[in-house]
Amino acid sequence: MSTQILMPALSPTMEEGKLAKWLVKEGDEVHSGDLLAEIETDKATMEFEAVDEGRIGKLLVAEGTEGVKVNAPIAELITEDGEAAPVAAASVKEPVAAPKEVAGTVAPTPVAKAALIEPQVPDGTEMVTITVREALRDAMAEEMRRDPDVFLMGEEVAQYQGAYKISQGLLEEFGAKRVIDTPITEHGFTGLGVGAGFAGLKPIVEFMTWNFAMQAIDQIINSAAKTRYMSGGQMSCPIVFRGPNGPAARVAAQHSQDYSAWYARVPGLKVVAPYFAADAKGLLKAAIRDPNPVVFLENEIVYGRSFPVPKLDDFVLPIGKARVIREGKDVTLVSYSMGVALLLDAAEELAKAGIDAELIDLRTLRPLDIDTVVASVQKTNRLVTVEQDWPICSIGSEVCAQVVEKAFDYLDAPPAKVSGKDVPMPYAHNLEKLALPSVEEVVAAAKAVLYRS
Amino acid sequence: MSDPSVAEGDGVNTRPTPSSATLKKFYHDMLLIRRFEERAGQLYGMGLIGGFCHLYIGQEAVVVGMQNALLPGDQVITAYRDHGHILASGMDPKGVMAELTGRAAGYSKGKGGSMHMFSVEKNFFGGHGIVGAQVPLGTGIAFANKYRENGAVTLAYMGEGAANQGQVYESFNMAELWHLPVLYVVENNQYAMGTSVERASAQPKFYKRGESFNVPGEEVDGMDVEAVFEAGRKALEFVRGGGGPMILEMKTYRYRGHSMSDPAKYRTRDEVQSIRDRKDPIDQFGKKLVDRELASDVDLKTIDKEIRLIVNEAAEFAIEAPEPEASELYTDVLA
Ligand SMILES: Cc1ncc(C[n+]2csc(CCOP(=O)(O)OP(=O)(O)O)c2C)c(N)n1
Ligand SMILES: [Mg+2]
């Protein structure tokens, strides 16, 4: 009996890859666990092992072939007759596709380009397109070159080059004194970082994800945020806490959560949550220079997305400023981080229905630039907030409350909130999709505040 | 899953050598985990399992040896690398695989996935994703045992990387202070993601990590199921007999990457291959069974065939089973 060996997905976001090298040839006997091939994914080169026993028949894909789709047959395996049929061949019919919005592989959003406002830079500045991942790395590298007191520490940041490859190349350039792998001991190394900050160094503490910072939230809030106040202004903590935040893909409740509102409430902290690469770079540089503790919330799914970044020697953006990313007259849509992607898609849908949405990327959550939102609502008279966080006591709640306080007379409809659902994140593909806010929900909310259906 | 032939009466201070049936069961249980994990890796490759998927391949002897040393009523808690633990506790591979594919028939109704397996029925307390968090939780389960005077012992597993978390030492202190019936099992597979033991641990002998709290410890060859079983039985007797907590450090090895998306470039292919060739818990134990004439090569092959059938059935089931109803999104949030 012969079955097919299929191209495997070797990362949560992989859709195709390169068959870099065959490690077997036609006619070879293979056993479970034998290496079959080397496969290049979007992030790394991985080895691929045999599951079923048998003899390699035809190799269907030559080594060196790029763009081999996940689940495409790559070789034949001749198995002993009578053995139970492996599931491989049978189940290709309906592979569950990774959820589009969260897979990080969505095609670049072709939003009404003309209407999108580019970052403000001097006339004639060259723009280069890089990933958010590269923008963050460049920001850290530039600041480390500029100031010898800046150092990076966290789990897997040095030798492994970062669990999500944000610190790629930093160990090589700055050495083990300044790029430090820690044990898995968040409460300890966060406190250590805060202490080093008290002593005048400028630590960047990377959390592998913000979920794990829950082990350390005491040091972030009780030590880093409050000490300047408690010491009557004598002692500050110039530290950056950074890492991926918010829902990831299919990792369930303990690894998939937006912590924005947790930190945005705390006096003594600044909180930044960018979407675009230019903002990631300019704001991370500002955060590293800031004399206060800054919580810098990134997003795993956004890391791989590419956007233009100004080619300037020292591109620093002010913390605390929202940005109108698309002007419109009918309704104001406000979000931050990954939620901005929903705004862009929703605006396009709304445009088709003749609705002209103004989009605001908050970029900083504390201090919150409510003036930019209020100015927009004074023009459009309608507000929808969008976030992946839970709905209760969220950033959206705060924006709505402040707009009601400051611009009540301008509102032609009650503000609407679109958010993640009020449940822990489920693992199942269909439930996870339901738990996350969707473009359709944003469009529906915008229409609702316009009393259109 | 404790076998009456090896744990007679109350299981205290009785240590007959395991029967040949028990030894064959060890082999079966380890191979079931191996084949299950291989298939899970394949389903991940096909996009049928999502997110993080941490395989237990290479470490099978630890969980099988320990589980078989437990008595009915004892509890188990572990981290996210938990497929082996729930299978060893006797749960149906179908329900485990269906949890991996996120289907309603999974043991957490598809809501937990790979990292969050639970079985109240088998006293398996999960399946926890935050490194180290399961250690105080396990200590608390042991606290309840003492409170109720039920004679049960809690097994709290952790990786050697997790053993650097502060809450582990807070647990050791309380467990010794209050003489709680908890057995800590450090699965030292040499790596925490890409970090080798030496790069993260000032004291790499994890069995000594309880010394400041007077918690005794012992090092065990975690690639040898019989050694694990013996050490487990002894330690469980000590703890159950009122000796207080104890630490067993299992020297073991994981063959695959940390999770499915880890290219594992922090070690050489030769390192992995050499351990497989010399120390594989299943191959080595199979050879022993044959050498001692407790099983023939044909017997072992037959066991493998049976297991492949079970695992294929589990995979088919997990692929065909329906997703949870949309209404399940809002259930189980509160009691
Ligand atoms: C508090 C916390 N920090 C970081 C992580 C990310 N993480 C998951 S597993 C892991 C390595 C743990 O290694 P070890 O304890 O040795 O267990 P093994 O994976 O080897 O079984 C890390 C760093 C996490 N889940 N929780
Ligand atoms: Mg480990």
Side-chain angles (χ1 to χ4, degrees):
Chain A
M1 189 165 69
S2 152
T3 58
Q4 291 176 330
I5 298 173
L6 306 178
M7 181 72 169
L10 295 170
S11 85
T13 49
M14 176 174 166
E15 294 193 340
E16 58 174 45
K18 174 176 172 186
L19 205 163
K21 192 169 174 200
W22 277 112
L23 301 171
V24 290
K25 51 187 188 327
E26 292 177 3
D28 281 1
E29 291 291 332
V30 292
H31 297 97
S32 311
D34 288 352
L35 297 177
L36 295 177
E38 277 180 9
I39 286 170
E40 270 174 42
T41 73
D42 44 351
K43 291 193 195 95
T45 304
M46 312 266 298
E47 286 160 356
F48 171 44
E49 292 179 5
V51 173
D52 297 300
E53 323 247 290
R55 190 160 48 79
I56 299 291
K58 251 205 168 62
L59 298 181
L60 303 170
V61 173
E63 67 179 29
T65 309
E66 310 236 12
V68 183
K69 292 265 178 294
V70 164
N71 280 332
I74 55 174
E76 280 174 6
L77 184 73
I78 298 150
T79 53
E80 210 178 291
D81 260 333
E83 266 194 23
V87 290
S91 46
V92 217
K93 5 171 204 170
E94 253 184 300
V96 177
K100 265 269 164 158
E101 303 93 312
V102 295
T105 44
V106 188
T109 326
V111 167
K113 258 272 179 290
L116 250 193
I117 302 167
E118 296 295 344
Q120 278 176 347
V121 286
D123 276 352
T125 304
E126 188 191 337
M127 303 296 279
V128 285
T129 296
I130 59 172
T131 60
V132 171
R133 175 178 281 121
E134 291 162 333
L136 293 165
R137 192 263 324 271
D138 292 351
M140 288 194 284
E142 287 177 21
E143 292 307 298
M144 288 177 80
R145 280 175 211 134
R146 188 176 164 271
D147 182 346
D149 283 343
V150 178
F151 70 96
L152 170 67
M153 69 175 185
E155 293 159 18
E156 309 288 356
V157 297
Q159 288 197 12
Y160 198 79
Q161 312 284 315
Y164 296 96
K165 299 285 175 267
I166 305 305
S167 50
Q168 191 109 44
L170 296 185
L171 174 65
E172 211 169 281
E173 179 173 353
F174 299 103
K177 181 183 170 192
R178 298 179 69 195
V179 183
I180 304 161
D181 277 327
T182 64
I184 310 169
T185 170
E186 285 84 2
H187 195 199
F189 71 69
T190 303
L192 187 152
V194 173
F198 288 165
L201 294 182
K202 292 171 186 151
I204 306 170
V205 171
E206 173 174 312
F207 293 113
M208 192 175 284
T209 78
W210 276 93
N211 303 285
F212 315 139
M214 293 300 274
Q215 300 281 317
I217 195 167
D218 172 65
Q219 294 289 16
I220 299 172
I221 293 173
N222 271 323
S223 305
K226 297 177 181 173
T227 295
R228 184 175 166 82
Y229 191 80
M230 294 190 298
S231 67
Q234 294 179 72
M235 205 154 89
S236 299
C237 190
I239 192 170
V240 176
F241 304 105
R242 50 156 289 273
N245 172 59
R250 304 292 308 280
V251 291
Q254 291 185 330
H255 285 76
S256 214
Q257 182 174 337
D258 179 359
Y259 289 91
S260 302
W262 292 67
Y263 294 103
R265 303 190 65 248
V266 182
L269 293 182
K270 293 186 178 181
V271 182
V272 179
Y275 174 70
F276 294 101
D279 294 334
K281 182 171 184 192
L283 288 167
L284 184 53
K285 281 167 68 81
I288 295 168
R289 288 183 201 183
D290 201 286
N292 298 291
V294 180
V295 165
F296 199 91
L297 305 168
E298 301 158 9
N299 186 289
E300 183 197 333
I301 289 155
V302 175
Y303 281 153
R305 298 192 177 181
S306 298
F307 302 102
V309 173
K311 197 174 172 190
L312 292 170
D313 285 344
D314 197 21
F315 176 65
V316 186
L317 287 170
I319 292 176
K321 288 263 172 277
R323 190 163 78 89
V324 177
I325 55 173
R326 180 189 195 274
E327 282 184 346
K329 58 180 184 356
D330 295 333
V331 56
T332 300
L333 308 184
V334 180
S335 192
Y336 58 92
S337 189
M338 183 63 189
V340 172
L342 290 178
L343 297 195
L344 293 169
D345 289 347
E348 219 182 323
E349 285 303 307
L350 289 167
K352 284 183 205 154
I355 296 169
D356 187 17
E358 178 146 305
L359 308 185
I360 297 179
D361 176 359
L362 291 172
R363 302 194 292 184
T364 299
L365 306 178
R366 183 185 188 92
L368 188 64
D369 180 6
I370 200 68
D371 293 348
T372 296
V373 181
V374 166
S376 174
V377 170
Q378 285 173 342
K379 181 172 74 174
T380 65
N381 313 110
R382 327 258 169 178
L383 173 66
V384 176
T385 63
V386 178
E387 62 206 325
Q388 291 189 306
D389 196 1
W390 290 315
I392 309 297
C393 301
S394 68
I395 299 295
S397 308
E398 183 62 25
V399 169
C400 290
Q402 290 203 32
V403 166
V404 168
E405 278 173 5
K406 295 182 170 120
F408 183 76
D409 290 340
Y410 289 89
L411 285 168
D412 285 348
K417 259 169 67 183
V418 176
S419 71
K421 307 304 177 293
D422 198 15
V423 297
M425 187 64 73
Y427 166 73
H429 176 244
N430 63 331
L431 296 185
E432 184 185 63
K433 225 172 144 178
L434 290 170
L436 289 164
S438 65
V439 174
E440 297 75 53
E441 286 167 348
V442 178
V443 168
K447 288 183 175 170
V449 298
L450 282 156
Y451 302 110
R452 303 250 303 253
S453 50
Chain B
M1 224 206 231
S2 117
D3 183 331
S5 69
V6 298
E8 287 158 356
D10 60 4
V12 177
N13 294 328
T14 51
R15 260 187 256 138
T17 42
S19 68
S20 75
T22 303
L23 293 176
K24 272 200 208 155
K25 180 169 175 302
F26 289 176
Y27 185 82
H28 175 278
D29 292 357
M30 289 196 290
L31 196 60
L32 174 66
I33 297 173
R34 174 74 53 95
R35 296 287 175 249
F36 182 94
E37 293 289 67
E38 287 167 350
R39 189 63 85 208
Q42 188 186 42
L43 295 196
Y44 190 94
M46 295 162 69
L48 289 158
I49 297 173
F52 294 139
C53 183
H54 309 85
L55 302 182
Y56 196 64
I57 296 178
Q59 301 180 216
E60 297 91 346
V62 176
V63 90
V64 169
M66 287 308 302
Q67 190 72 33
N68 280 286
L70 293 178
L71 295 184
D74 291 345
Q75 308 101 343
V76 170
I77 190 165
T78 188
Y80 45 83
R81 197 180 298 284
D82 59 353
H83 312 166
H85 300 71
I86 193 165
L87 287 172
S89 77
M91 294 304 280
D92 187 340
K94 284 184 181 157
V96 182
M97 198 68 96
E99 188 58 37
L100 291 180
T101 54
R103 306 305 165 93
Y107 283 128
S108 299
K109 303 183 197 162
K111 291 178 176 182
S114 162
M115 298 188 283
H116 308 301
M117 301 278 178
F118 298 86
S119 169
V120 170
E121 181 192 335
K122 300 287 183 190
N123 281 322
F124 179 63
F125 281 72
H128 299 268
I130 302 302
V131 167
Q134 77 279 12
V135 180
L137 300 175
T139 309
I141 298 165
F143 179 91
N145 288 340
K146 180 155 191 223
Y147 193 92
R148 296 202 173 106
E149 300 177 17
N150 63 10
V153 176
T154 308
L155 220 60
Y157 287 95
M158 73 195 90
E160 89 296 333
N164 292 322
Q165 284 284 31
Q167 53 187 317
V168 171
Y169 300 90
E170 300 174 24
S171 303
F172 288 175
N173 187 43
M174 288 185 284
E176 181 67 27
L177 192 63
W178 298 331
H179 257 66
L180 303 180
V182 53
L183 177 56
Y184 300 106
V185 179
V186 180
E187 297 198 63
N188 181 356
N189 61 8
Q190 323 291 335
Y191 293 91
M193 276 191 173
T195 305
S196 61
V197 168
E198 314 80 62
R199 295 208 301 115
S201 298
Q203 169 53 284
K205 293 185 180 359
F206 292 89
Y207 66 94
K208 290 190 172 181
R209 289 279 187 105
E211 277 178 359
S212 332
F213 309 96
N214 299 324
V215 179
E218 199 181 303
E219 188 184 46
V220 184
D221 179 355
M223 303 299 268
D224 176 348
V225 68
E226 287 177 289
V228 172
F229 175 73
E230 275 312 319
R233 237 174 17 163
K234 227 170 67 192
L236 284 162
E237 280 170 16
F238 172 83
V239 174
R240 204 183 308 278
M246 195 178 157
I247 300 166
L248 291 182
E249 177 188 353
M250 302 287 174
K251 297 297 274 283
T252 181
Y253 200 79
R254 83 168 142 71
Y255 293 178
R256 295 290 189 99
H258 168 74
S259 65
M260 289 304 296
S261 46
D262 170 19
K265 292 297 173 215
Y266 41 81
R267 59 185 188 189
T268 62
R269 193 185 288 170
D270 286 349
E271 175 183 316
V272 183
Q273 198 54 46
S274 133
I275 301 222
R276 278 191 164 178
D277 292 346
R278 291 180 299 114
K279 303 230 27 159
D280 185 79
I282 299 171
D283 287 352
Q284 296 304 316
F285 189 61
K287 278 195 197 113
K288 271 193 203 164
L289 291 180
V290 174
D291 286 351
R292 293 189 214 155
E293 295 180 3
L294 296 170
S296 67
D297 283 327
V298 176
D299 292 342
L300 299 186
K301 188 96 192 158
T302 308
I303 295 177
D304 194 13
K305 279 205 165 164
E306 284 165 15
I307 285 174
R308 281 178 190 275
L309 266 176
I310 294 171
V311 168
N312 281 338
E313 269 173 36
E316 296 289 356
F317 175 79
I319 293 168
E320 299 302 329
E323 289 184 318
E325 297 288 335
S327 59
E328 285 289 345
L329 184 60
Y330 292 100
T331 61
D332 306 319
V333 178
L334 287 174

